[in-house]
Amino acid sequence: MKRAEDLDAGGRTVLVRADLNVPMEATGGSRAMGSGGSPPGQESAPPGQHRITDDGRIRASLPTIRDLLARGAAVIVCAHFGRPKGDDYAARAAGGPSLRPVADRMAELLGQPVTLATDVAGESARVIASTMAAGEVALLENVRFEPAETSKDDAVRGELAGRLAALADVYVGDGFGAMHRKHASVYDTPLLMPHAAGQLVLAEVAVLRQLTTSPARPYVVVLGGAKVSDKLAVIGNLVGKADRLLIAGGMAYTFLAAQGYRVGDSILQAGQIPQVTQALADADKAGVEVVLPVDHVVADRFAPDAKPEVVHGPDIPDGMMGLDIGPATRDLFARKLADARTVFWNGPPGVFEFPAFAAGTLAVAEAISHVTGLTVVGGGDSAAAVRHLSMPADAFTHISTGGGASLEYLEGRDLPGLAALEAGE
Ligand code: ADP
Ligand code: MG
């Protein structure tokens, strides 16, 4: 892949596809809105009532943008944000979410104005692009206001890609978190113009390559998060590579149910039990040790003010739901991580957004921070959790900005965004 740092950027307009899909909180509401992995049953608040809870992805996009600006480019940033609803552009733009709070935060962090276009690749974007000076930054509105962005129809995506490409001279792909999407701004646009990979993408790929090619052993993988269905494919691929698999979070209840334990009202994907049973059998055959929770912190409802209670043992009583791993599991996981030389962690082991259920996530983060070797945190919510816990910056080797993208890479799949950046060389 060509590197953005090697581009002749002076006097040119560069379209940077970044991943600015930061978690937001509805001001006035109590739950955080995850960057794709919101707690179950959650609705997003109306536009204009959100606050950024973790600006990590904005910060991660800055080195490439700063470098291009310093070398005399005008930079137009393109990104998606949340899940706009509606059949057409007008409905989506009216419903939001707008990238306005992201533009404001980016301007603060860059220390210079960031002009937000009022559209994605329409009149406003065209006027800004054609009047920008070297050293200036603009942000296009939420690219998912354009239904074409995510269309399955190549021609439909191609039309939007053409409008995006017309805004700039060069394309830089730096939105690692979106690289697994065959979307117009990720896949089709770079194919239409000279392109290169940004610093974030290159750093992410370098670490993931290390995880997949002869990792130092023991290689321990910690998986948590809400849904087992999101993680089954990666489990399948890791079974051949990792030595130990520690499973927690909401997904653990489907594993416990598959083993015949009672899970009460915990989040359960009963339809996935056959696949989970198969994954356990495969792990056993491959000699991979699978470690499940042995106790829990439970409550009678999914709420920040629900009363936490410890349940000793793997069974959860009727009427209660598991919202975090218990103290014995925290100790067990810490022991299973102590001798690791490579760790990959994806998905919080509990509902860390609620302080009463964050102890498991903190314990796992601390145990991993003591490991000598390569330690990688992947996943939007996991990364947010780690930053939320204010761990020292060097606690992990790498905190990935890409949840789904890093998982798909580890699953051994080709990422369309990377393929496009590699094309035509
Ligand atoms: P990542 O973004 O790091 O890949 P996921 O999106 O898979 O992580 O999952 C994150 C979500 O999982 C968090 O919002 C967290 O509250 C939720 N979660 C963790 N444990 C549980 C649980 N026991 N019950 C319900 N949700 C849970
Ligand atoms: Mg998530």
Side-chain angles (χ1 to χ4, degrees):
M1 269 186 295
K2 197 161 177 184
R3 296 154 27 106
E5 289 157 285
D6 298 332
L7 283 176
D8 186 6
R12 302 173 92 186
T13 303
V14 183
L15 179 67
V16 176
R17 177 50 162 108
D19 177 12
L20 305 175
N21 197 22
V22 289
M24 301 287 278
E25 188 174 69
T27 49
S30 49
R31 287 182 192 168
M33 177 169 102
S35 52
S38 312
Q42 184 185 313
E43 291 300 309
S44 51
Q49 300 186 10
H50 288 127
R51 186 179 66 82
I52 297 170
T53 55
D54 175 46
D55 62 7
R57 280 178 166 165
I58 302 176
R59 289 175 185 274
S61 74
L62 298 181
T64 293
I65 294 171
R66 282 204 178 103
D67 172 65
L68 291 166
L69 292 172
R71 291 190 294 119
V75 174
I76 301 177
V77 184
C78 169
H80 71 279
F81 191 35
R83 298 203 170 116
K85 291 187 185 71
D87 293 337
D88 58 18
Y89 183 92
R92 292 180 176 208
S98 165
L99 274 168
R100 168 51 65 194
V102 173
D104 293 345
R105 184 75 188 123
M106 184 179 268
E108 269 171 41
L109 292 169
L110 276 174
Q112 73 177 81
V114 173
T115 309
L116 179 68
T118 57
D119 55 27
V120 176
E123 192 51 29
S124 168
R126 275 194 295 275
V127 168
I128 290 169
S130 60
T131 54
M132 278 175 90
E136 290 184 350
V137 187
L139 177 63
L140 304 177
E141 248 307 358
N142 187 351
V143 67
R144 290 204 190 154
F145 286 174
E146 292 272 2
E149 166 70 355
T150 58
S151 172
K152 297 263 181 285
D153 184 330
D154 293 351
V156 171
R157 285 197 321 276
E159 187 276 330
L160 171 59
R163 278 188 283 136
L164 286 168
L167 298 173
D169 307 308
V170 190
Y171 178 99
V172 167
D174 207 28
F176 181 73
M179 284 287 165
H180 58 314
R181 307 288 190 198
K182 194 175 178 180
H183 290 170
S185 67
V186 177
Y187 175 76
D188 304 86
T189 309
L191 295 178
L192 298 177
M193 57 201 300
H195 51 255
Q199 296 178 38
L200 176 64
V201 160
L202 292 168
E204 295 270 11
V205 169
V207 168
L208 290 172
R209 203 170 278 154
Q210 259 182 287
L211 281 180
T212 44
T213 39
S214 53
R217 300 191 176 279
Y219 177 10
V220 182
V221 173
V222 185
L223 291 177
K227 288 181 165 179
V228 70
S229 52
D230 294 344
K231 318 268 162 120
L232 269 172
V234 76
I235 293 175
N237 199 271
L238 288 168
V239 156
K241 302 205 169 73
D243 301 299
R244 235 171 261 154
L245 214 49
L246 316 188
I247 293 178
M251 63 183 283
Y253 304 110
T254 306
F255 277 85
L256 290 169
Q259 297 199 326
Y261 295 109
R262 289 160 53 205
V263 298
D265 291 341
S266 305
I267 179 171
L268 170 71
Q269 289 185 288
Q272 302 283 327
I273 287 179
Q275 289 88 325
V276 163
T277 305
Q278 184 61 48
L280 284 167
D282 293 345
D284 191 47
K285 215 162 115 202
V288 178
E289 183 185 7
V290 177
V291 184
L292 294 172
V294 293
D295 64 348
H296 312 275
V297 181
V298 303
D300 61 359
R301 62 209 163 89
F302 188 88
D305 59 349
K307 187 168 160 281
E309 279 175 52
V310 173
V311 170
H312 302 283
D315 285 304
I316 294 178
D318 291 344
M320 304 299 264
M321 57 179 75
L323 296 180
D324 196 9
I325 52 176
T329 307
R330 284 175 231 151
D331 289 348
L332 175 65
F333 279 22
R335 285 201 302 280
K336 296 291 179 186
L337 283 159
D339 66 342
R341 288 294 167 268
T342 306
V343 177
F344 175 70
W345 171 27
N346 172 276
V351 184
F352 72 93
E353 295 94 334
F354 304 160
F357 306 96
T361 302
L362 180 60
V364 163
E366 274 180 349
I368 297 175
S369 75
H370 294 139
V371 165
T372 316
L374 178 69
T375 54
V376 180
V377 183
D381 294 296
S382 314
V386 160
R387 280 189 282 266
H388 185 74
L389 299 169
S390 6
M391 311 274 299
D394 60 355
F396 310 94
T397 314
H398 182 75
I399 300 176
S400 175
T401 53
S406 38
L407 286 180
E408 290 201 13
Y409 190 101
L410 293 177
E411 283 165 28
R413 305 236 293 254
D414 284 330
L415 308 190
L418 289 181
L421 293 180
E422 277 159 3
E425 280 168 23

